[in-house]
């Protein structure tokens, strides 16, 4: 078992650098999954607003009170430089000036009662919040005008408009769940836990397994093996055993960490199918690492390949960005990569995409096909690029 011991002696020095990707994977998934599981209600955004009332009438004061119900009214001196400084240091989000003559113009049903004629606003940049505030002002003015046109006095029109605007609507976040994800123990963490795992598996496998095989395949190591009594079949078997144990150990660490994020032992048929799918992808990642090592790249090149394959495949196949948001052209190209089928199966199992268990089975079969093809290509490349040849010794008579 000398080769087996040598394998893990090398792995001991290479594993810490590779486990960084597992730590990053767990560190990213935990807060995202916790947020996704706990966010079940809608909360209205509140702005820090400064209001300058130049009209100083009952109508303008009523608008100020109405805005202050859902926003924080700040006290800033009416000086352009001070307002700009407060916005720059994020003390104020929005500045509103109610122009003089607001009450008189509001009662009219012509262009003089438009928002630009009634208000002057300041904000550093456009955002959803500032757009919502401007929409709120437009809606307020339109509703008051509508009630005035209907025959109401201005004070009554303002009162009715504010009652309509203050009506609250109950909003809840819908769960992405369909008929294929009916397990009682299904949670939002399910999708997050398994979605990001391909990046960790690919990166760790290439960054750990590939350098180990490169060290073992060095000429010095192979020459020593060829001179020893170890048979080639035993050498290959021990390397295979070491690689298998390492791959299983890395996968097990990821699964244990995922179970911690999930909130306990996985429950439900969908979860366990997803776990099996991750093991299949771990084998595919290991085969990619073995294929890369067959070309005997340098260690610096291995790091570059890790980033190129890991990030490239994850961005294209829907790991970092859901497949539902990707364009059809990108998805057509991604079908030639195994991570696409992994993510498609995971989305169906988690309920993020529609599909049946038959569709999941097709995705898994395609992944198996990728594993077989990668194995055959690796064998072909290894035969074309032998790692080392036995040293031929010739005895010469000593003079």
């Amino acid at each position: 078992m000398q080769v087996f011991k040598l394998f893990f002696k090398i792995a001991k020095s290479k594993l810490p650098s590779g486990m960084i990707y597992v730590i990053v994977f767990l560190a990213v998934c935990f807060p995202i999954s916790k947020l996704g599981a706990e966010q079940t209600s809608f909360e209205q955004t509140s702005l820090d607003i400064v209001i300058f009332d130049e009209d100083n009438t009952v109508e303008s004061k009523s608008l100020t009170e109405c805005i202050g119900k859902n926003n924080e009214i700040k006290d800033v001196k009416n000086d352009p430089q001070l307002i700009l400084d407060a916005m720059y240091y994020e003390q104020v989000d929005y500045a509103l000036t109610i122009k003089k003559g607001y009450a008189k113009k509001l009662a009219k049903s012509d262009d003089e009662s438009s928002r630009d004629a009634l208000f002057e606003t300041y904000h550093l940049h456009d955002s959803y919040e500032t757009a919502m505030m401007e929409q709120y002002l437009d809606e307020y003015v339109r509703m008051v005008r509508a009630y005035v046109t209907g025959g109401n006095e201005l004070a009554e029109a303002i009162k009715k408009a504010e009652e309509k605007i203050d009506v609250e609507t109950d909003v809840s976040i819908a769960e992405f769940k369909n008929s294929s994800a009916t397990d009682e123990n299904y949670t939002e963490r399910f999708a997050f836990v398994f979605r990001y795992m391909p990046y960790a598996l690919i990166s760790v496998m290439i960054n750990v397994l590939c350098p180990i095989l490169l060290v073992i395949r060095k000429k010095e190591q192979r020459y020593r093996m060829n001179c020893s009594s170890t048979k080639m079949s035993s050498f290959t078997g021990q390397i295979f055993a070491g690689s298998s144990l390492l791959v299983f150990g890395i996968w097990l660490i990821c699964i244990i960490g995922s179970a911690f994020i999930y909130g306990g032992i996985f429950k439900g048929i969908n979860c366990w199918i997803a776990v099996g799918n991750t093991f299949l992808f771990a084998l595919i990642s290991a085969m990619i690492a073995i294929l890369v090592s067959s070309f005997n790249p340098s260690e610096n090149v291995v790091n570059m390949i890790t980033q190129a394959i890991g990030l490239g495949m994850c961005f294209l196949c829907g790991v970092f960005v859901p497949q539902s948001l990707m364009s059809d052209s990108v998805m057509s190209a991604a079908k030639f990569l195994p991570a696409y089928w992994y993510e498609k199966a995971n989305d169906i199992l988690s309920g993020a995409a529609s599909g049946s268990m038959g569709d999941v089975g097709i995705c898994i079969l395609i992944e198996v096909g990728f594993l077989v093809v990668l194995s055959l290509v690796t064998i072909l490349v290894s035969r074309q690029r032998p790692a080392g040849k036995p040293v031929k010794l010739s005895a010469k008579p000593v003079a």
Side-chain angles (χ1 to χ4, degrees):
M1 299 294 287
Q2 293 299 320
V3 179
F4 186 83
K5 293 179 180 179
L6 174 64
F7 183 94
F8 280 98
K9 186 176 182 180
I10 301 172
K12 187 177 180 181
S13 62
K14 303 295 182 182
L15 197 58
S17 61
M19 293 307 295
I20 293 176
Y21 294 95
V22 177
I23 296 173
V24 171
F25 159 70
L26 297 176
V28 170
C29 284
F30 182 74
I32 293 179
S33 62
K34 186 176 181 181
L35 178 63
E38 294 179 352
Q39 187 174 2
T40 58
S41 61
F42 173 82
E43 184 178 351
Q44 184 173 339
T45 301
S46 176
L47 295 179
D48 293 327
I49 300 178
V50 57
I51 299 178
F52 304 109
D53 188 358
E54 296 180 351
D55 195 46
N56 196 25
T57 58
V58 175
E59 292 79 7
S60 61
K61 292 179 180 178
S62 179
L63 174 61
T64 302
E65 293 177 1
C66 189
I67 294 175
K69 291 178 181 179
N70 296 318
N71 300 279
E72 186 72 22
I73 305 298
K74 296 292 185 178
D75 186 15
V76 178
K77 189 177 180 180
N78 192 359
D79 183 297
Q81 188 60 44
L82 294 177
I83 296 172
L84 186 63
D85 290 342
M87 289 185 175
Y88 180 80
Y89 291 108
E90 298 183 351
Q91 297 173 346
V92 172
D93 299 314
Y94 197 87
L96 172 66
T97 299
I98 303 176
K99 295 182 178 180
K100 190 172 183 61
Y102 164 80
K104 294 181 180 180
K105 293 179 181 179
L106 187 63
K108 298 179 180 180
S109 58
D110 52 24
D111 293 338
E112 289 188 3
S113 61
S114 64
R115 176 166 56 87
D116 293 336
L118 301 175
F119 311 110
E120 187 174 1
T121 61
Y122 306 92
H123 53 87
L124 286 183
H125 51 79
D126 292 328
S127 64
Y128 289 111
E129 291 80 5
T130 57
M132 286 292 293
M133 176 52 62
E134 292 180 353
Q135 184 180 2
Y136 176 88
L137 294 174
D138 287 336
E139 187 67 20
Y140 183 91
V141 172
R142 282 196 297 266
M143 293 183 69
V144 172
R145 286 179 57 187
Y147 282 115
V148 170
T149 304
N152 292 275
E153 295 293 331
L154 181 58
E156 186 68 20
I158 291 175
K159 183 178 179 181
K160 290 183 178 181
E162 291 179 354
E163 289 176 353
K164 292 291 184 182
I165 290 178
D166 289 340
V167 173
E168 295 184 357
T169 303
D170 292 332
V171 180
S172 60
I173 306 299
E175 294 184 356
F176 292 99
K177 187 173 180 180
N178 59 22
S179 58
S180 64
T182 56
D183 300 307
E184 294 180 359
N185 294 288
Y186 171 86
T187 65
E188 287 292 336
R189 292 188 176 99
F190 178 95
F192 291 106
V193 165
F194 294 107
R195 171 178 292 170
Y196 299 104
M197 194 173 291
Y199 176 67
L201 291 175
I202 293 175
S203 301
V204 174
M205 294 301 176
I206 298 178
N207 230 31
V208 175
L209 185 58
C210 188
I212 297 174
L213 297 177
L214 288 176
V215 172
I216 293 178
R217 287 177 176 175
K218 284 184 177 180
K219 291 183 179 180
E220 295 80 2
Q221 300 290 346
R222 292 301 299 271
Y223 288 163
R224 291 182 63 183
M225 293 298 173
N226 292 333
C227 293
S228 68
S229 59
T230 304
K231 296 181 180 180
M232 184 57 64
S233 59
S234 177
F235 173 83
T236 305
Q238 292 181 54
I239 293 296
F240 178 79
S243 300
S244 301
L245 189 58
L246 180 66
V247 170
F248 180 78
I250 293 173
W251 171 80
L252 189 61
I253 291 173
C254 291
I255 290 298
I256 293 174
S258 300
F260 174 75
I261 296 174
Y262 181 81
I265 299 176
F266 297 109
K267 297 179 181 180
I269 184 64
N270 284 21
C271 282
W272 285 110
I273 293 176
V275 170
N277 193 29
T278 60
F279 183 71
L280 177 58
F281 194 83
L283 296 178
I284 294 174
S285 302
M287 194 54 61
I288 293 175
I290 296 172
L291 177 60
V292 171
S293 68
S294 301
F295 292 94
N296 296 323
S298 64
E299 191 166 343
N300 292 331
V301 174
V302 170
N303 294 329
M304 294 174 58
I305 293 173
T306 301
Q307 300 303 323
I309 296 179
L311 292 176
M313 189 180 298
C314 290
F315 273 114
L316 287 174
C317 298
V319 176
F320 298 142
V321 180
Q323 292 183 352
S324 59
L325 301 179
M326 307 284 282
S327 64
D328 294 336
S329 58
V330 174
M331 288 293 94
S332 298
K335 290 180 181 179
F336 295 94
L337 299 172
Y340 168 85
W341 302 100
Y342 169 89
E343 288 297 332
K344 185 176 181 179
N346 183 60
D347 287 345
I348 295 173
L349 291 170
S350 64
S354 59
S356 62
M357 295 304 293
D359 297 325
V360 175
I362 292 174
C363 294
I364 292 176
L365 287 176
I366 294 175
E367 291 181 64
V368 172
F370 273 105
L371 180 61
V372 173
V373 171
L374 287 171
S375 302
L376 295 176
V377 173
T378 301
I379 293 173
L380 180 62
V381 173
S382 299
R383 288 183 177 179
Q384 295 296 326
R385 298 176 63 90
K389 296 181 179 180
V391 180
K392 295 182 180 180
L393 302 175
S394 59
K396 293 183 179 180
V398 180

